[in-house]
Amino acid sequence: MKDLPKHQGQRQQLVALLKEKGIVDEKVLDAVNKVPRHLYMDAALEAYAYVDKAYPIAADQTISQPYTVAFQTQLLALEKGDRVLEIGTGSGYQTAILLQLGVEVYTIERQNELFKKTKLLFSKLGLRPKKQIFGDGYKGHPDAAPYHAILVTAGAPELPKALLEQLAVGGRLVIPIGADEQQMCRYIRTSKTTFDKKTFGVFRFVPLLEDKN
Ligand code: SAH
């Protein structure tokens, strides 16, 4: 598991591309520059790790496109030390970007194969999310609520109400909503009972699925 000058050079090019595509948050760009995406992908796909595309991982899922990861992370407007809930651990790449930003991460994955594989990878890489959970993220993770930020990395057919309830006042929920394609939505909790919603264009994600059985 090496990070070679070749990879570092490819990452710098990726960062330049993300800037061209409109990512402006320097902290997010710096995180993309530092996290070795190739370590989160199949060895056979290493040559594509810094291409701005989604690629297959285990269990018929995908590692999100770098632009999408950067875009969603930028929308979260994170501050160091924030408590963040991520739904859809997948490859762990997005989790690593969050950790690089100095936040506390709770991350949930419903595919056991991916949950186990990524847990092993985190321990090899010395990455420490606060908690890695195997389960259904539709329900969020009330035990550690409220969160400063919640990020959903799969396409939700509808808004899971539990996630809004688990936001702190001032907290941000970033979630792609829709069936075949999704609108990127950000909800900000403006008071105990009020939310401000904005949309940020169309994306395509693998689906957020409810309980498996
Ligand atoms: N952040 C990940 C994205 C992986 S794709 C990465 O960049 O690698 C989305 C992930 O969400 C998949 O791993 C999928 O299994 C997971 N997922 C789908 N529905 C879920 C649910 N209800 N709870 C938790 N994870 C879910």
Side-chain angles (χ1 to χ4, degrees):
M1 303 243 256
K2 286 201 177 124
D3 187 33
L4 302 170
K6 161 183 91 171
H7 299 120
Q8 292 158 17
Q10 290 170 341
R11 278 205 294 284
Q12 282 170 9
Q13 289 181 353
L14 175 60
V15 167
L17 178 68
L18 297 182
K19 276 190 191 168
E20 270 172 38
K21 289 188 171 180
I23 304 297
V24 291
D25 185 325
E26 288 295 336
K27 286 188 244 169
V28 172
L29 292 165
D30 183 61
V32 173
N33 199 26
K34 292 204 169 116
V35 176
R37 187 172 186 249
H38 62 285
L39 302 184
Y40 298 84
M41 291 170 63
D42 217 83
L45 294 172
E46 189 193 314
Y48 305 101
Y50 300 102
V51 177
D52 190 25
K53 283 190 182 161
Y55 285 98
I57 51 175
D60 283 333
Q61 303 302 317
T62 55
I63 179 171
S64 296
Q65 181 181 342
Y67 174 73
T68 304
V69 171
F71 191 85
Q72 288 197 290
T73 309
Q74 181 169 273
L75 285 181
L76 290 173
L78 298 170
E79 302 277 350
K80 253 198 181 116
D82 277 357
R83 189 169 338 130
V84 182
L85 176 65
E86 178 192 22
I87 316 290
T89 316
S91 67
Y93 174 67
Q94 169 76 69
T95 318
I97 293 283
L98 295 172
L99 290 170
Q100 183 65 41
L101 289 165
V103 299
E104 274 185 8
V105 186
Y106 294 78
T107 184
I108 312 180
E109 173 57 55
R110 74 183 278 287
Q111 296 282 353
N112 200 19
E113 182 186 356
L114 274 171
F115 167 75
K116 288 195 285 196
K117 189 175 174 188
T118 301
K119 198 173 177 74
L120 188 66
L121 180 66
F122 286 157
S123 88
K124 278 187 190 153
L125 297 173
L127 292 189
R128 292 197 178 72
K130 265 275 170 199
K131 200 159 186 200
Q132 209 191 328
I133 301 143
F134 170 55
D136 179 10
Y138 234 91
K139 303 180 184 73
H141 182 62
D143 293 5
Y147 301 95
H148 301 103
I150 302 179
L151 171 60
V152 180
T153 72
E158 65 203 341
L159 174 68
K161 293 288 181 298
L163 300 184
L164 283 184
E165 286 161 14
Q166 291 172 33
L167 270 187
V169 172
R172 293 82 57 198
L173 165 64
V174 172
I175 178 167
I177 300 182
D180 296 336
E181 52 179 38
Q182 293 83 32
Q183 281 277 354
M184 189 64 76
C185 302
R186 178 172 68 185
Y187 292 82
I188 298 181
R189 187 167 205 165
T190 45
S191 76
K192 204 154 173 35
T193 52
T194 54
F195 297 85
D196 174 69
K197 179 191 176 187
K198 280 204 172 71
T199 60
F200 298 87
V202 172
F203 289 76
R204 272 177 195 277
F205 285 80
V206 294
L208 182 74
L209 300 169
E210 283 193 77
D211 273 339
K212 233 178 162 177
N213 302 308

